[in-house]
Amino acid sequence: ELPEGTFFMAMKSNKTVSDTRRWILSLPASGEVVLDDGACQAVGNKKSLFPSGIVSITGRFLRNEAVRLLHRGLEVGRAVVNYSSEELEKIKGQKSNAFEQLLGFPGCAEACYRDNIMLTTDDELLKDVGVKEPSRSRARSVPQAFQRQVTPPQQISDAEVLRQLQ
């Protein structure tokens, strides 16, 4: 007989992950937010995401929904947003002192609080993103970690869970 309930596969990590961040990973992503180099570096340094570092937004989402954070076409994290997709479209790339005029109401400075961001790639790789690239004549190749796509957790059947547990 198959067990009932939800099975969560263990994450390969040498770091402790809070329950809130595990929950963020389990949420369905309602949209995508593309970050510039500075925002990606800040997120890698465990800082909040500000709208000034957002390049573009895809999908439709509401406040407090989960989104994928992308940089150079690759997922670097998941986050719960403080603004809807329509509101973020209005304030992306802007400084917080312009939010009230653009939105029609005062809002928080952060698009995503740092406690509501879960990195899905190695944070050490993200810390060096803002470093200027060498001239084209001496250009280095893109690090291997940026070349692979990070995939979200996969759903597996109960039968597969039992097979793995045996």
Side-chain angles (χ1 to χ4, degrees), residues 1 10 15 18 21 28 51 64 78 87 97 103 115 164-165:
E1 186 172 311
K15 298 178 183 174
S18 72
R21 291 191 171 154
N64 299 317
R78 299 276 179 108
E87 293 165 343
N97 59 2
L103 296 172
D115 291 340
Q164 290 181 7
L165 292 174

Side-chain angles (χ1 to χ4, degrees), residues 27-47:
L27 295 173
S30 300
E32 297 176 342
V33 175
V34 179
L35 312 179
D36 66 15
D37 287 348
C40 185
Q41 188 176 18
V43 167
N45 285 314
K46 300 187 180 12
K47 304 290 184 194

Side-chain angles (χ1 to χ4, degrees), residues 138-150:
R138 299 181 314 154
R140 293 178 284 163
S141 62
V142 176
Q144 183 71 22
F146 280 104
Q147 293 176 5
R148 64 180 168 80
Q149 180 71 33
V150 177

Side-chain angles (χ1 to χ4, degrees), residues 83-100:
Y83 292 99
S84 70
S85 55
E86 292 174 357
E87 293 165 343
L88 274 180
E89 273 297 337
K90 293 177 184 177
I91 61 174
K92 71 180 181 189
Q94 302 293 321
K95 300 287 184 189
S96 59
N97 59 2
F99 292 177
E100 187 170 358

Side-chain angles (χ1 to χ4, degrees), residues 8-14 17 21-22 25 118-119 153:
F8 291 95
M9 295 290 288
M11 295 174 53
K12 294 180 182 176
S13 177
N14 59 353
V17 179
R21 291 191 171 154
R22 287 181 200 273
L25 276 181
M118 175 64 190
L119 296 179

Side-chain angles (χ1 to χ4, degrees), residues 1-165:
E1 186 172 311
L2 297 176
E4 291 187 30
T6 304
F7 177 77
F8 291 95
M9 295 290 288
M11 295 174 53
K12 294 180 182 176
S13 177
N14 59 353
K15 298 178 183 174
T16 305
V17 179
S18 72
D19 291 338
T20 301
R21 291 191 171 154
R22 287 181 200 273
W23 171 72
I24 290 169
L25 276 181
S26 73
L27 295 173
S30 300
E32 297 176 342
V33 175
V34 179
L35 312 179
D36 66 15
D37 287 348
C40 185
Q41 188 176 18
V43 167
N45 285 314
K46 300 187 180 12
K47 304 290 184 194
S48 294
L49 173 62
F50 292 90
S52 60
I54 296 175
V55 176
S56 65
I57 295 145
T58 58
R60 293 179 55 100
F61 49 88
L62 301 172
R63 293 181 197 176
N64 299 317
E65 285 194 311
V67 297
R68 295 174 65 212
L69 301 179
L70 304 177
H71 180 258
R72 298 182 185 175
L74 300 177
E75 180 177 344
V76 296
R78 299 276 179 108
V80 174
V81 290
N82 294 331
Y83 292 99
S84 70
S85 55
E86 292 174 357
E87 293 165 343
L88 274 180
E89 273 297 337
K90 293 177 184 177
I91 61 174
K92 71 180 181 189
Q94 302 293 321
K95 300 287 184 189
S96 59
N97 59 2
F99 292 177
E100 187 170 358
Q101 182 180 2
L102 294 168
L103 296 172
F105 61 88
C108 61
E110 299 91 348
C112 305
Y113 293 121
R114 66 180 171 208
D115 291 340
N116 291 335
I117 298 173
M118 175 64 190
L119 296 179
T120 55
T121 190
D122 187 5
D123 56 344
E124 291 299 318
L125 295 172
L126 302 179
K127 291 179 182 179
D128 297 328
V129 169
V131 177
K132 292 193 176 202
E133 295 182 19
S135 65
R136 292 201 184 268
S137 62
R138 299 181 314 154
R140 293 178 284 163
S141 62
V142 176
Q144 183 71 22
F146 280 104
Q147 293 176 5
R148 64 180 168 80
Q149 180 71 33
V150 177
T151 57
Q154 298 176 348
Q155 288 209 318
I156 59 175
S157 68
D158 290 338
E160 179 66 18
V161 170
L162 284 176
R163 190 186 67 72
Q164 290 181 7
L165 292 174

